[in-house]
Amino acid sequence: MEFLIASAIGVMTAAGIYLVLRLRTFPVILGISLLTYAVNVFLFTSGRVIPGAPPVLRDNVTTYTDPLPQALVLTAIVISFGMTAVVVMMGLGAFLGSDDDHVDDQPDTPQDKPEGSA
Amino acid sequence: MSLFFIVALPFFGALLPGLMNPAGRSACAGVTFTVTLAAFVGLLTNLPAILAGEVVTAGIDWMPALGLNFTLMLDGLGFFFALLILGIGLLVIAYARQYLSRDDNMGEFFTYLLLFQGAMVGIVLSDNILLLLIFWELTSLSSFLLIGYWKHLPAGRQGARMALAVTGMGGLAMIGGMLILGQIVGSYDLSVILQNRELIQADPLYLPALILILTGCFAKSAQFPFHFWLPHAMAAPTPVSAYLHSATMVKAGIFLMARMWPVLSGTTEWFIIVTTAGLVTMVLGAVIALFKHDLKALLAFSTVSHLGLITMLLGTGTAFGAMAAVFHILNHATFKAALFMSAGIIDHEAHTRDIRRLGGLRSLMPVTFVIVSLAALSMAGIPLLNGFLSKEMMLEEANHTVLFNSPWLVPVLATVGALFSAAYSFRLISHVFFGPVRDDYPAKPHDPPAGMWLPPALLIIPVILIGVAPFLAEPFVKLVTAAVLGDAAEMPSAHLKLWHGLVPALYMSIIAVVGGVTMLALFKPALRIWDALPRPEAKTIFDALVGATVKLSQALILPLHNGAFTRYAAIGTVTIVVAGYYAWSTGTVGAPMHAMQTADPVLISGWGMLVAATIGMVFLHRNRFLSLILMGIVGLMVSIGFVFLSAPDLAMTQFTVEVVTIILMLLALNFLPNRTPVESTVLRRMRDVAVAVAGGLASFGLAYYYILRDPVSTSISEFHLANSYKGGGGTNVVNVILVDFRGFDTFGEIIVLSIAALLIYALTEALLSGPVRSRLLNREPDQPQAGGVHPMMMVVLTRVMMPVVMMVGFYIFLSGHNEPGGGFIAGLIVSIGVVMQYMASGFSWASARLRYPYHGVIGAGVLAAGFTGIGAWFVDKPFLTSDFTYVRIPPFEKFELATAALFDVGVFLSVVGAVMLSLESFSRLARRSESIESEYPMDIDPSRQDQPPQATQGGV
């Protein structure tokens, strides 16, 4: 089971990095989202993985998983939504403003950027 | 008056001129004058104590742990400089009132001037060298503003930049030197440092400290090889030149050398460095000054030369040299400030400062002529004026100074310096005022109003007074000299007097004056030779140096940091992987502490879906819509994983966030192209694959290693599990951590989330108020549109569902303390319910029914959380301390009331507000001009009697 979790983290990280290295905003945002999943799961597993022992106190139960990474990851998920939204907004604004959704500055080429245009 | 007030007055006063600007130019100058006068009078109240030989101190501990205390000290030396700064400051302010034209912003000017004045007074009154350094840097900054005051002149901007670069660099060196000095002595208090001469000079770090401190002083006081910035700073308005470049800022380096004289001087290193630099500067400055045609440039280089003279005197390390230096500081400040102001008057009246275009002004500007002549003759070293006395003392001291084993080197060079000094002074008088009256002045010159010539005229009084009756100045000069010497040397017995007998200095003086007259007579051929000589231009060298530094930085930085995000991401990934590998390969890897748990088929199939969807995203990412669906699968699988791995709260959060994220991305995709084109080469994609695989393997290795082992130190989670119910009153430990144990973190996080939402709102506003708006409104949809915009089934369903969603949200919120749930999750669920209304019934319909704006909801949430935290203060508990109790209202079961629930309300409201504000902003972009937005929830409603909306043309 540990192997499965670790390999899932690895696959999501690799896919995330690959997409982050793309040249257009949308795949980069998808890549960042994948990296977010990977990081969140990794942080979560730092509390060890124990099925069937949620950290909700019950009488006569002594085994609980580590609640602290869960609390940290919970806020991380919500914050990452906020940040994704901001990044999407910035990418969208850039695209609407310049009709270009490249991540990097494009070298000015005379045919598609006439002199004097911003 | 307390020293604090003297230092603080100019700083606080600096606020006033800007405020007085609308009240007129005189009010502006008047308030500045009053502030300076108050500080001046405050300084004078300390005169009796100074005359009695006391040292006035004032101080408070600021950061004692760092040795940084706000301690001030006023002794003879400090008093002398403060007197110059404030006294000449008063004259300069009066002069500037007349000098600045109506187009100049006077409030701005006087604000800078007062800032500068405060910083200068701070330097000379500081008792702590760290404090002194702060004021030192402040003078560099404020002088930058003053020099560049005429922002429209390129010369002014360049000169200001050069001054800042040189003096700022010197300041950096000075910080290093001062810190070494403080380390040697073990205290940063000047009064302590000055007592430790032997300790400092015996220390092996004495030489580095000396060189660093002298670099700072030389840079500030324009000593060779840093002399070049001062003439370029002359682009400043003349009052600035008169103030900064004759009397105050350039004397700061001299002041510091005098201040540090007791502990730093007397060694061979000090003698050689300081005397040589001073001597070279003196001769070089004087020679260049003679051949300058710009009045202010001539005066600038003459200032450089005179500063060199003072530096040389301090360098000799004798008590007599120090006394001569102090005396010359006084004399130079008086005649040079008068000369600068007069140069400004000539420029102001004749509209040129070029000596070649002037001449014959004697009869046109008689008052100015008298002032300039007296000041310039004093500068030349003519008897009965104060410049003569200190020059005699300098020549006398030079006569006894043996540099590089050569008894004649210093006297000869000093005489040469004095000769050129006399020559340029004579040239100043004769070429500007004598000769025939010309008819081609750019303006008709005449004497200025009294307000303008009075300040320099007042400065001429001490020039003559001290020149005729030097014994008047003697007690004061000796008082200051005693402060300079400290315990390091005996007070010299010599007196200030006119006639010393037929000593060598007198002959040297005569040679200088006669030589000066001869030079003037031979000026034309000399100028031809001078112009023919190749000379290094300091500004070109400086610019080339700056250019080379910029090139070097670019060469170092640009390959890594060229503005391309893709490159940063690749470099960052590779760096992290390499660093991680290094740590891995050099550390020790322990044996696994846990056995692997078996995986059941359900788990494996979930894993398979996740991996397949992830890999699918990579291969299908060019189809953006499809990759979004695949991302939804990944998120869903992660949520299910959380369920399986005992994290119900996480699962619920991930699941709901997934929904809003996908909605958000869909809204964005509405505008973005639907496909990503193939752009990168195969080679580049292979490189990216390699980087990605390396990163993936590294994170896999890290995660796999980490899951099977325990952390090196025990986790704090045991505490949370044990105290969740006892201390927090809840059985859901995750929620108790969020709202109680780590409530402050959560408080910060909801604020971050709220800021993100407001940022999105602001970006939307910016987009919609710009040129993008019309493009958005006239956008042609790139996908086929569905027939019914608001399908009846969906509208009915979402309406029916809404109360259910609300109730679920309410339940999850309330049960959150003891069961999985809480404010975050409830907020997300309610948001989804509301978003569904927007999707089903349309933007206009939904926003028309919106009672509270989402900004308000966000604000209410943050405030609710904040006030809950503050509530703890009323019972003398720290911020966000929670409390709870159990109550029983019949017929209900016993239930719990916790302040944490109030905090959770805040979390809930901020999450709802933030999510809704973000989504609403996105959907506002989507409104188009030709689209018909119904004010009804449904396109077709059988119960409605009016026309269907296809026929109406409104509602937008």
Side-chain angles (χ1 to χ4, degrees):
Chain A
M1 189 174 74
E2 281 82 356
F3 178 83
L4 293 184
I5 296 169
S7 59
I9 293 173
V11 169
M12 286 194 288
T13 310
I17 293 172
Y18 181 78
L19 289 177
V20 160
L21 293 176
R22 295 305 90 210
L23 299 174
R24 302 286 181 139
T25 49
F26 197 77
V28 170
I29 294 167
L30 291 184
I32 293 172
S33 299
L34 276 182
L35 285 177
T36 309
Y37 292 134
V39 170
N40 283 345
V41 174
F42 175 75
L43 286 180
F44 169 73
T45 56
S46 69
R48 298 259 299 120
V49 287
I50 310 170
V56 179
L57 302 180
R58 290 282 179 273
D59 294 339
N60 308 320
V61 176
T62 51
T63 312
Y64 299 105
T65 54
D66 193 340
L68 194 61
Q70 295 196 15
L72 298 180
V73 170
L74 196 152
T75 49
I77 293 171
V78 180
I79 292 280
S80 69
F81 162 74
M83 291 304 126
T84 307
V86 170
V87 173
V88 169
M89 189 69 223
M90 279 159 50
L92 188 58
F95 173 72
L96 292 174
S98 64
D99 219 1
D100 178 16
D101 66 341
H102 277 98
V103 173
D104 301 330
D105 273 351
Q106 292 302 294
D108 286 336
T109 42
Q111 55 266 32
D112 60 45
K113 280 213 172 170
E115 198 66 32
S117 75
Chain B
M1 192 193 279
S2 163
L3 299 184
F4 285 128
F5 285 111
I6 300 175
V7 175
L9 258 175
F11 284 113
F12 286 114
L15 297 170
L16 295 177
L19 295 176
M20 296 302 284
N21 223 6
R25 289 142 45 85
S26 293
C28 212
V31 72
T32 314
F33 192 85
T34 316
V35 167
T36 310
L37 189 67
F40 187 71
V41 172
L43 182 73
L44 289 183
T45 56
N46 288 301
L47 183 61
I50 300 297
L51 289 179
E54 291 172 27
V55 175
V56 185
T57 57
I60 42 168
D61 283 354
W62 186 11
M63 282 187 263
L66 287 180
L68 177 52
N69 299 321
F70 201 98
T71 45
L72 300 173
M73 162 182 89
L74 184 69
D75 63 353
L77 183 64
F79 183 85
F80 172 48
F81 272 90
L83 197 71
L84 283 180
I85 294 160
L86 294 171
I88 295 189
L90 283 173
L91 298 177
V92 166
I93 292 164
Y95 176 80
R97 161 67 189 89
Q98 302 294 326
Y99 181 85
L100 291 181
S101 75
R102 289 192 181 280
D103 301 330
D104 298 319
N105 184 341
M106 205 169 249
E108 187 188 346
F109 180 82
F110 281 126
T111 299
Y112 296 161
L113 196 79
L114 281 177
L115 280 179
F116 173 77
Q117 194 179 63
M120 275 308 297
V121 174
I123 288 183
V124 299
L125 294 191
S126 291
D127 185 29
N128 185 292
I129 51 175
L130 298 177
L131 186 66
L132 188 147
L133 287 172
I134 294 173
F135 284 122
W136 186 274
E137 295 297 326
L138 270 180
T139 60
S140 292
L141 287 177
S142 50
S143 69
F144 169 77
L145 293 170
L146 279 171
I147 297 170
Y149 171 70
W150 279 332
K151 302 177 190 71
H152 55 280
L153 297 182
R157 297 196 300 266
Q158 287 162 10
R161 216 157 52 215
M162 189 193 271
L164 184 68
V166 176
T167 55
M169 185 206 70
L172 281 181
M174 174 92 104
I175 290 176
M178 288 295 201
L179 290 181
I180 295 177
L181 207 60
Q183 288 297 319
I184 295 174
V185 180
S187 164
Y188 289 105
D189 284 336
L190 261 177
S191 35
V192 179
I193 291 173
L194 292 182
Q195 305 297 322
N196 285 290
R197 178 187 169 96
E198 285 77 22
L199 182 68
I200 292 168
Q201 298 196 348
D203 199 278
L205 286 175
Y206 164 73
L207 188 60
L210 179 72
I211 291 174
L212 288 171
I213 292 176
L214 286 179
T215 306
C217 292
F218 286 179
K220 199 80 157 183
S221 284
Q223 295 301 294
F224 181 81
F226 305 112
H227 61 284
F228 55 88
W229 69 264
L230 185 61
H232 289 285
M234 288 300 144
T238 302
V240 174
S241 310
Y243 196 34
L244 270 64
H245 304 139
S246 71
T248 53
M249 186 170 95
V250 292
K251 297 271 169 69
I254 304 279
F255 166 78
L256 204 70
M257 281 191 261
R259 185 45 105 201
M260 291 293 172
W261 196 87
V263 288
L264 293 183
S265 77
T267 59
T268 323
E269 295 93 336
W270 166 277
F271 174 64
I272 290 179
I273 298 174
V274 179
T275 310
T276 312
L279 205 59
V280 171
T281 314
M282 177 168 101
V283 176
L284 199 67
V287 174
I288 300 175
L290 177 61
F291 297 107
K292 284 288 165 189
H293 301 304
D294 180 357
L295 267 181
K296 275 176 79 178
L298 187 153
L299 291 176
F301 276 105
S302 104
T303 303
V304 169
S305 167
H306 281 267
L307 292 170
L309 189 163
I310 299 168
T311 305
M312 186 201 80
L313 287 173
L314 287 171
T316 59
T318 63
F320 184 78
M323 184 163 85
V326 168
F327 193 33
H328 197 68
I329 292 170
L330 174 67
N331 296 339
H332 178 250
T334 51
F335 67 68
K336 190 52 68 64
L339 280 173
F340 266 119
M341 290 187 199
S342 307
I345 290 175
I346 294 169
D347 186 21
H348 204 256
E349 302 303 334
H351 288 205
T352 182
R353 300 194 308 245
D354 193 329
I355 297 177
R356 288 167 301 184
R357 302 190 59 189
L358 295 165
L361 294 181
R362 179 172 41 109
S363 52
L364 296 172
M365 303 174 77
V367 179
T368 317
F369 166 63
V370 173
I371 294 170
V372 171
S373 301
L374 287 171
L377 289 176
S378 174
M379 181 158 77
I382 300 299
L384 295 181
L385 296 166
N386 61 359
F388 168 73
L389 299 164
S390 43
K391 187 160 285 188
E392 282 276 293
M393 286 168 79
M394 181 276 284
L395 292 170
E396 174 72 26
E397 177 67 19
N399 220 12
H400 299 301
T401 307
V402 180
L403 186 65
F404 301 126
N405 294 324
S406 159
W408 53 266
L409 182 67
V410 179
V412 167
L413 283 178
T415 313
V416 171
L419 189 151
F420 275 93
S421 180
Y424 65 66
S425 305
F426 295 149
R427 180 178 177 225
L428 177 64
I429 301 171
S430 73
H431 285 193
V432 173
F433 291 99
F434 286 91
V437 175
R438 302 167 63 145
D439 49 14
D440 61 345
Y441 305 116
K444 199 170 157 35
H446 55 83
D447 269 322
M452 216 160 166
W453 63 255
L454 257 181
L458 285 175
L459 284 168
I460 294 301
I461 296 174
V463 170
I464 300 171
L465 210 59
I466 298 173
V468 177
F471 53 88
L472 286 177
E474 185 174 313
F476 187 65
V477 169
K478 290 218 161 165
L479 183 79
V480 177
T481 310
V484 173
L485 298 179
D487 306 328
E490 285 294 310
M491 192 65 197
S493 56
H495 294 284
L496 308 180
K497 53 186 180 187
L498 264 174
W499 180 251
H500 290 275
L502 295 170
V503 289
L506 186 67
Y507 296 118
M508 289 155 81
S509 215
I510 292 170
I511 294 172
V513 171
V514 173
V517 175
T518 319
M519 267 317 279
L520 186 65
L522 297 172
F523 181 72
K524 279 206 172 122
L527 182 64
R528 264 199 296 280
I529 298 170
W530 174 257
D531 284 343
L533 285 177
R535 294 188 303 276
E537 183 57 52
K539 187 170 177 348
T540 329
I541 299 171
F542 177 79
D543 287 345
L545 206 63
V546 170
T549 319
V550 170
K551 279 228 170 59
L552 181 69
S553 319
Q554 281 174 339
L556 286 176
I557 290 168
L558 274 187
L560 296 175
H561 204 274
N562 65 344
F565 170 78
T566 321
R567 181 171 289 198
Y568 304 166
I571 292 174
T573 310
V574 171
T575 311
I576 291 169
V577 169
V578 168
Y581 180 76
Y582 175 77
W584 177 271
S585 56
T586 52
T588 48
V589 180
M593 295 173 181
H594 304 284
M596 278 246 264
Q597 301 172 55
T598 51
D600 56 37
V602 178
L603 190 65
I604 294 174
S605 56
W607 175 87
M609 284 166 77
L610 187 141
V611 170
T614 311
I615 293 174
M617 269 177 85
V618 170
F619 282 101
L620 300 171
H621 78 268
R622 299 194 187 284
N623 185 338
R624 294 182 170 181
F625 187 61
L626 192 57
S627 54
L628 203 54
I629 294 175
L630 289 172
M631 196 181 92
I633 296 177
V634 176
L636 195 63
M637 284 302 123
V638 170
S639 316
I640 292 173
F642 285 143
V643 174
F644 179 73
L645 296 173
S646 324
D649 289 277
L650 282 191
M652 289 204 274
T653 314
Q654 182 73 64
F655 191 77
T656 42
V657 162
E658 206 55 47
V659 174
V660 287
T661 309
I662 297 290
I663 294 175
L664 179 107
M665 299 281 243
L666 279 173
L667 280 169
L669 201 52
N670 195 10
F671 307 97
L672 291 168
N674 292 308
R675 294 193 61 83
T676 307
V678 183
E679 279 179 313
S680 37
T681 57
V682 177
L683 201 66
R684 187 186 167 121
R685 269 177 277 161
M686 292 317 292
R687 183 205 76 175
D688 293 350
V689 167
V691 171
V693 168
L697 281 176
S699 59
F700 161 72
L702 182 64
Y704 188 61
Y705 172 82
Y706 194 40
I707 294 178
L708 292 178
R709 287 159 183 85
D710 285 331
V712 275
S713 59
T714 50
S715 154
I716 56 171
S717 304
E718 286 307 315
F719 168 85
H720 292 140
L721 283 168
N723 287 287
S724 174
Y725 188 69
K726 276 190 296 185
T731 54
N732 180 4
V733 187
V734 174
N735 184 266
V736 175
I737 290 175
L738 282 177
V739 299
D740 195 333
F741 292 135
R742 305 203 63 82
F744 208 12
D745 284 0
T746 311
F747 188 51
E749 267 149 332
I750 60 172
I751 289 174
V752 171
L753 188 67
S754 309
I755 292 172
L758 291 174
L759 178 62
I760 291 167
Y761 175 76
L763 284 170
T764 314
E765 284 291 302
L767 272 182
L768 285 179
S769 59
V772 174
R773 179 184 165 81
S774 58
R775 277 183 47 200
L776 279 174
L777 286 175
N778 299 312
R779 181 173 53 95
E780 289 292 329
D782 56 354
Q783 298 286 314
Q785 300 291 293
V789 186
H790 307 300
M792 183 172 71
M793 286 295 283
M794 193 170 169
V795 174
V796 173
L797 212 59
T798 50
R799 293 272 201 96
V800 172
M801 263 172 63
M802 187 72 180
V804 181
V805 172
M806 288 296 179
M807 200 185 69
V808 169
F810 191 60
Y811 171 77
I812 284 189
F813 175 79
L814 281 186
S815 68
H817 217 42
N818 293 315
E819 299 290 328
F824 274 113
I825 302 164
L828 287 162
I829 289 174
V830 169
S831 307
I832 293 171
V834 179
V835 167
M836 294 300 280
Q837 303 302 316
Y838 276 91
M839 286 162 68
S841 305
F843 186 88
S844 306
W845 183 86
S847 19
R849 277 145 191 84
L850 182 67
R851 197 165 295 173
Y852 305 104
Y854 295 122
H855 311 73
V857 177
I858 293 178
V862 174
L863 284 181
F867 282 131
T868 309
I870 289 171
W873 289 346
F874 293 103
V875 286
D876 286 335
K877 292 280 172 58
F879 187 65
L880 277 172
T881 311
S882 74
D883 198 12
F884 62 94
T885 182
Y886 293 93
V887 290
R888 182 164 190 276
I889 305 170
F892 300 106
E893 289 285 304
K894 190 175 81 166
F895 64 95
E896 181 199 1
L897 281 179
T899 59
L902 281 176
F903 182 78
D904 224 9
V905 169
V907 173
F908 168 81
L909 288 175
S910 338
V911 170
V912 172
V915 171
M916 288 314 300
L917 188 63
S918 316
L919 293 178
E920 191 214 22
S921 302
F922 273 91
S923 49
R924 278 172 60 204
L925 292 175
R927 305 174 69 192
R928 282 179 295 133
S929 57
E930 80 271 24
S931 72
I932 302 129
E933 291 201 30
S934 168
E935 53 189 295
Y936 301 108
M938 282 175 267
D939 294 340
I940 303 160
D941 182 354
S943 65
R944 204 159 65 221
Q945 297 302 313
D946 57 3
Q947 293 293 310
Q950 273 82 356
T952 60
Q953 283 296 324
V956 176

